[in-house]
Amino acid sequence: MTQNVFTLEISGLNVSSHSGTRVLDNISLQVEPGEVRALVGESGAGKSMIGRAVLGTLPPILDKSSGHIILNGKDLSLLSERKRREWVAHNAALIPQDPLSALNPVRRVGAQIITPLVRIHSWSKREAEDRCLSLLDQVKIRDPKRVLKSYPHELSGGMRQRILIAAAFANRPPLIVADEPTTALDVTVQKEILKIVRLLQEDTGTAVLFVTHDMGVVAQVSQTLTVLFGGRVLEDSKTHDVFTRDASHPYTQALIRSTPDYHSAGGKFVPVPDNVIATLHAQMRERLS
Amino acid sequence: MIIRSFLARFFSTLVTLFGVAVVVFVLVRIAPGNPIAMMLPPGATEEDVARLRALYGFDKTLIEQFFVWLGNVIYGDFGTSITMRLPVSELVLQRLPATLELSIMALVIALVLGGSLAVFGARFRGRAQEVGVDISTGAALSVPDFLWGLLLILAFGVAWPVLHISGRVDPHMDVDLTTNFYFFEGLLLGDFALVSSVLSHMLMPALALGLPLAAMIAQLLKQSLKEQLDQDYVNLARVRGHGETHVILSEALRNAALPTLTLIGVQFAFLIGGTVIVERLFAYEGLGNMAIDAVINRDLPLIQGIVLLFAVLFIAINLTVDLTYSLLNPKLRHD
Ligand SMILES: Nc1ncnc2c1ncn2[C@@H]1O[C@H](COP(=O)(O)OP(=O)(O)OP(=O)(O)O)[C@@H](O)[C@H]1O
Ligand SMILES: [Mg+2]
């Protein structure tokens, strides 16, 4: 295997439907080992689609794609369908957005998080169970043994999300895609969950592609960020720079100012100005025509 | 909790059965036609008629007749068939296995065929294969069971005669079994000559009954599968390296089966109702065929016995569906 500096390297990625609608347009981005990269942008910008393209779970009607996705040293577009699935299963995991629909309602929690470890990573049942128990403990789930025997509907949303996070980190994959893992939860739980993700991330050294539309979350979890608009990359920089310098793209600045947390000292909330949005839409129309 | 819901169920079942008994009894009596007149040879005297009426209890009032009949039914005595002069319970139980085997075969065909079509259509959703499933199930649904029977007879009885179009088993075959479940007992005993003869008689009526249900199952199950396939838990399974077919069969199917199960419960009851005509069409010696004869001959005790048995079957089906439903759905298991 060639030694590659990036855990994930996307270059020139296009995704469109067979009717020709383009949802991702020439996307390029890299994630280094152990790096947390935030993907931000308004609803419909294509954040989730990037994650789904990497993981191979694009909706069937978005069947046209080109470009390269190199995951942990292998170009996914060069692999057969089967080999690609296996490679992704070994090298990446997903923390989904909605914990309520992310566990199969008719199967016990334990079976859902232990079986993949045994099947994909050929751990022994004992080993997998021990690892899950200690991880559940780490994500602050009380009585993990009972939880493993429960059905999803017996657990709260926050608990389910913690279980899903533990499951994603269980085999220490090089990359985790976290698609708005806190959006479906209420604010107090959100803080907890973010803390847990950061804790496990530092503990395992896993790189994370963190999808969010909340600049407050970006500031808390990420080292780098990619700003998307209309399926295109608007800006790609260090999180620290974006929050301290004024040199970034006006849309990014506007996103920062529109975060309730940002001006909490001054108590002033500024939505993204209409003229910034208007300019971007005009550019997008130009591009499409 | 479980005991209470069981008791509630038991009593509602009793009430249902009582209701069915009343309705059957009344309907059968107000229907035109005189069974006694049909039994007697021409030239019978008034006394003969009166004697027979007394013998079958027709000289009492309706209410009296009902309670006499109900009292006997509770002790398992359904009266004597007017035309066949044999106890109704004996006649009915003798025919029941044939109808049960036919209905179960039809149900299995519907489940296997409908289920596979649904999985196939969902696997290739949005593509030509799914359109193919939609068109064929739409067509299958628009043809009722007896018409399917005629079409099948034309195809496999006339044009390409590979199956038998009438009866339940080869008449030359001497059947020596303890029960009337020819198919199941034959299978158990390993009597494959018998089993294949039974199959070649049963296949067409079972297909006629099962095809419309198969189409219904295919449509509903495919729709619910497609809904499940957009859920995050399915995506998670995909990320864990499972192919689409595996994801459908081992993750989505059980969840998608729940709404379909309710449909199957209702439709299977209809299917058993459908045996009346289809059995007639194929001269299949089951309950349905017997029911038509009983109606034609105004054989009141026999009609009552058959209808009551159908009612019990319907209730049993509902119970089975509810049990399966709570087995498949952990949310219902504890409360
Ligand atoms: N199942 C789908 N089929 C076809 N197009 C889709 C589908 N899901 C999303 N899209 C399109 O892809 C584009 C990007 O969607 P995506 O889900 O990546 O947005 P997002 O940035 O994640 O937004 P959100 O914050 O709402 O999750 C959108 O314009 C949307 O219309
Ligand atoms: Mg999204």
Side-chain angles (χ1 to χ4, degrees):
Chain A
M1 199 181 84
T2 54
Q3 194 56 47
N4 199 300
V5 275
F6 296 116
T7 301
L8 176 68
E9 189 179 359
I10 300 177
S11 52
L13 176 67
N14 294 303
V15 169
S16 52
S17 68
H18 44 214
S19 64
T21 326
R22 184 169 279 204
V23 282
L24 293 181
D25 185 357
N26 195 23
I27 301 282
S28 295
L29 60 84
Q30 298 88 30
V31 185
E32 285 175 22
E35 173 186 335
V36 179
R37 174 172 289 273
L39 272 182
V40 293
E42 61 179 24
S43 189
K47 308 181 295 287
S48 299
M49 289 304 148
I50 294 184
R52 295 179 75 166
V54 171
L55 299 173
T57 59
L58 283 173
I61 47 166
L62 299 179
D63 55 357
K64 288 215 182 99
S65 67
S66 64
H68 296 275
I69 299 174
I70 301 170
L71 174 64
N72 204 22
K74 270 200 190 169
D75 189 337
L76 299 182
S77 55
L78 301 181
L79 299 177
S80 71
E81 167 69 20
R82 195 193 183 87
K83 283 260 155 47
R84 187 192 56 70
R85 277 207 311 263
E86 272 172 21
W87 188 251
V88 168
H90 274 96
N91 291 282
L94 167 71
I95 303 175
Q97 173 165 0
D98 179 12
L100 298 188
S101 74
L103 286 165
N104 190 335
V106 300
R107 294 174 58 202
R108 284 179 206 278
V109 168
Q112 298 188 50
I113 66 178
I114 292 172
T115 324
L117 292 175
V118 176
R119 205 188 50 84
I120 308 170
H121 308 286
S122 6
W123 295 13
S124 76
K125 187 114 195 293
R126 182 86 247 139
E127 219 178 344
E129 204 173 320
D130 286 347
R131 171 82 176 138
C132 284
L133 285 175
S134 84
L135 265 169
L136 288 182
D137 203 48
Q138 232 176 323
V139 299
K140 307 211 171 54
I141 282 193
R142 265 172 281 128
D143 202 355
K145 278 219 166 98
R146 191 187 56 82
V147 166
L148 286 185
K149 287 203 199 85
S150 310
Y151 284 98
H153 72 272
E154 297 164 334
L155 308 169
S156 72
M159 272 171 105
R160 288 190 230 179
Q161 191 59 302
R162 279 185 273 178
I163 291 167
L164 289 161
I165 291 168
F169 280 99
N171 66 310
R172 301 185 178 84
L175 178 77
I176 284 181
V177 175
D179 191 350
E180 311 208 37
T182 59
T183 311
L185 305 168
D186 67 69
V187 188
T188 44
V189 185
Q190 283 186 13
K191 291 231 163 78
E192 276 279 319
I193 296 292
L194 275 187
K195 259 201 333 224
I196 286 168
V197 173
R198 266 170 54 194
L199 192 116
L200 286 180
Q201 190 272 329
E202 280 160 21
D203 192 49
T204 53
T206 291
V208 179
L209 196 58
F210 199 108
V211 174
T212 178
H213 53 247
D214 182 342
M215 291 303 277
V217 171
V218 173
Q220 275 182 61
V221 300
S222 71
Q223 289 98 50
T224 54
L225 102 160
T226 301
V227 182
L228 296 170
F229 188 89
R232 274 198 156 183
V233 175
L234 268 195
E235 163 146 28
D236 187 326
S237 68
K238 293 212 156 45
T239 309
H240 181 76
D241 292 353
V242 166
F243 281 91
T244 52
R245 287 186 205 158
D246 277 341
S248 56
H249 193 283
Y251 180 70
T252 316
Q253 289 173 17
L255 274 182
I256 295 172
R257 280 197 300 274
S258 70
T259 311
D261 280 356
Y262 181 69
H263 273 244
S264 56
K268 200 150 172 237
F269 168 72
V270 188
V272 181
D274 288 343
N275 62 331
V276 175
I277 298 278
T279 317
L280 286 170
H281 277 296
Q283 285 171 5
M284 194 159 74
R285 269 196 303 277
E286 213 167 276
R287 208 172 80 213
L288 291 176
S289 61
Chain B
M1 234 15 229
I2 291 175
I3 292 179
R4 240 181 69 190
S5 72
F6 176 80
L7 278 181
R9 186 90 203 206
F10 183 74
F11 279 113
S12 75
T13 304
L14 279 187
V15 171
T16 310
L17 277 178
F18 183 78
V20 171
V22 171
V23 169
V24 168
F25 191 86
V26 171
L27 270 186
V28 163
R29 305 268 142 174
I30 60 177
N34 182 351
I36 303 292
M38 299 178 81
M39 289 171 70
L40 290 169
T45 61
E46 283 290 315
E47 287 92 79
D48 291 336
V49 174
R51 223 164 7 92
L52 256 181
R53 285 177 63 86
L55 181 65
Y56 286 100
F58 293 149
D59 55 342
K60 302 199 179 69
T61 66
L62 258 191
I63 309 245
E64 269 177 317
Q65 286 184 41
F66 177 71
F67 281 103
V68 167
W69 175 71
L70 193 67
N72 291 336
V73 163
I74 289 171
Y75 290 103
D77 175 8
F78 289 80
T80 308
S81 158
I82 296 176
T83 41
M84 297 194 245
R85 326 257 153 123
L86 283 168
V88 166
S89 52
E90 191 180 300
L91 287 170
V92 162
L93 287 181
Q94 196 190 337
R95 287 292 185 100
L96 177 65
T99 297
L100 277 184
E101 283 190 346
L102 178 61
S103 313
I104 291 174
M105 179 63 78
L107 180 66
V108 169
I109 288 175
L111 284 175
V112 172
L113 196 64
S116 328
L117 278 175
V119 169
F120 179 76
R123 170 71 185 79
F124 297 102
R125 56 197 175 285
R127 299 204 224 155
Q129 288 95 322
E130 191 192 358
V131 178
V133 169
D134 287 344
I135 291 176
S136 54
T137 54
L141 258 183
S142 57
V143 178
D145 48 18
F146 61 90
L147 207 54
W148 269 119
L150 289 174
L151 292 174
L152 287 165
I153 288 177
L154 281 180
F156 301 112
V158 179
W160 184 41
V162 283
L163 296 172
H164 294 279
I165 57 166
S166 86
R168 191 181 172 201
V169 71
D170 199 339
H172 306 301
M173 195 167 257
D174 68 293
V175 181
D176 181 25
L177 300 172
T178 42
T179 70
N180 265 338
F181 287 98
Y182 291 1
F183 182 73
F184 292 124
E185 195 176 337
L187 216 54
L188 269 182
L189 298 177
D191 184 349
F192 290 112
L194 174 65
V195 168
S196 76
S197 170
V198 170
L199 261 186
S200 66
H201 285 82
M202 184 160 59
L203 207 53
M204 277 201 284
L207 273 172
L209 287 167
L211 283 177
L213 181 56
M216 255 180 267
I217 292 177
Q219 289 187 346
L220 184 66
L221 186 61
K222 176 167 75 70
Q223 195 49 42
S224 2
L225 273 174
K226 279 166 68 180
E227 277 159 29
Q228 294 296 325
L229 289 173
D230 284 336
Q231 301 278 314
D232 271 345
Y233 75 87
V234 177
N235 269 331
L236 221 47
R238 293 190 184 109
V239 173
R240 286 167 182 159
H242 293 295
E244 203 57 22
T245 309
H246 179 274
V247 154
I248 292 176
L249 293 178
S250 69
E251 296 285 337
L253 188 58
R254 225 176 109 187
N255 289 295
L258 291 173
T260 314
L261 195 61
T262 315
L263 170 101
I264 293 173
V266 177
Q267 290 301 326
F268 187 47
F270 274 111
L271 187 150
I272 292 190
T275 58
V276 173
I277 287 183
V278 171
E279 281 182 6
R280 190 63 166 194
L281 195 59
F282 288 92
Y284 185 88
E285 294 130 33
L287 270 182
N289 211 346
M290 187 188 239
I292 290 187
D293 285 332
V295 170
I296 291 175
N297 299 326
R298 301 285 181 275
D299 191 339
L300 303 190
L302 190 54
I303 297 176
Q304 284 162 359
I306 294 175
V307 175
L308 215 54
L309 188 64
F310 272 127
V312 172
L313 279 181
F314 283 20
I315 289 167
I317 290 168
N318 271 320
L319 207 64
T320 318
V321 166
D322 286 358
L323 278 177
T324 322
Y325 200 94
S326 59
L327 269 182
L328 282 180
N329 189 353
K331 276 184 211 168
L332 293 182
R333 229 171 280 169
H334 305 293
D335 39 58

